[in-house]
Amino acid sequence: DFTQDAHFNEATFTQNAFFGEANFKRRAIFHKATFNQDANFSSATFTQDAVFWSSTFTRNAELGGAIFTQNADFHEATFKQRTSFFKVIFTQNADFSGVTFTQKAVFGGATFTQEAVFSGAIFTQEVYFTAATFKQYTYFNESTFTQDADFRGTSFMRYAGFLGTKFYGTVDWRWCRFLEQANFWHIIFEPKGPTVPSTVFSLAKFGKPEEVVFEDVDLSRALFLNCDMSAVWFTSSVKW
């Protein structure tokens, strides 16, 4: 257990860094830290703020099952290999703005209890938010997805913002739930091949469809099978 503030700011870990099941009872400060080998924070508990902004994970980063009781700050961090936040619980704000994921990133089953910010994030390979839950405002504004993005079964319980987001693979929203307002404005949907869909909303549910807006977006290769879009707002700028 870490009973005092854990100061690892600007530290360099040249060997595997194992913090699995660690209990950080005070602040955990890893800002601008560099992990040259695998970093393992699986099932760790962060009781106070966790600060990882501008940190670099050169090899695999494993945070599956971790619990962040206070704010989690990963602003402008870089993950160069496989990254897992599988079933992580974020009790307070989670800041992933400006983060770069060079390889596969997994957020499947994660719970974001307060505000989640992924604005400006770059996902170079496939990313999985499968069955994740966003309970408060969620922002993916100006983020870039270079490969496929999997949001199957994801729940957005409050506002979901996708403004200026770029999707260069197929985005899968099947069984997704948008319970309140959602904005899809000025989005780029460019799938990899001429025969694959750009985005799939089949079986998605919209709790307040009159508050869901598609503005300046190409939906000519989108799929809406078994999805009621009758009350959703499509402005005149939408391309079909």
Side-chain angles (χ1 to χ4, degrees), residues 25 41 63 124 199:
K25 295 184 177 181
F41 288 86
L63 292 96
T124 305
T199 183

Side-chain angles (χ1 to χ4, degrees), residues 8-11 30-34 51-56:
F8 293 97
N9 48 301
E10 300 187 15
F30 289 87
H31 83 267
K32 292 187 177 181
T34 300
V51 182
F52 286 88
W53 63 265
S54 294
S55 56
T56 300

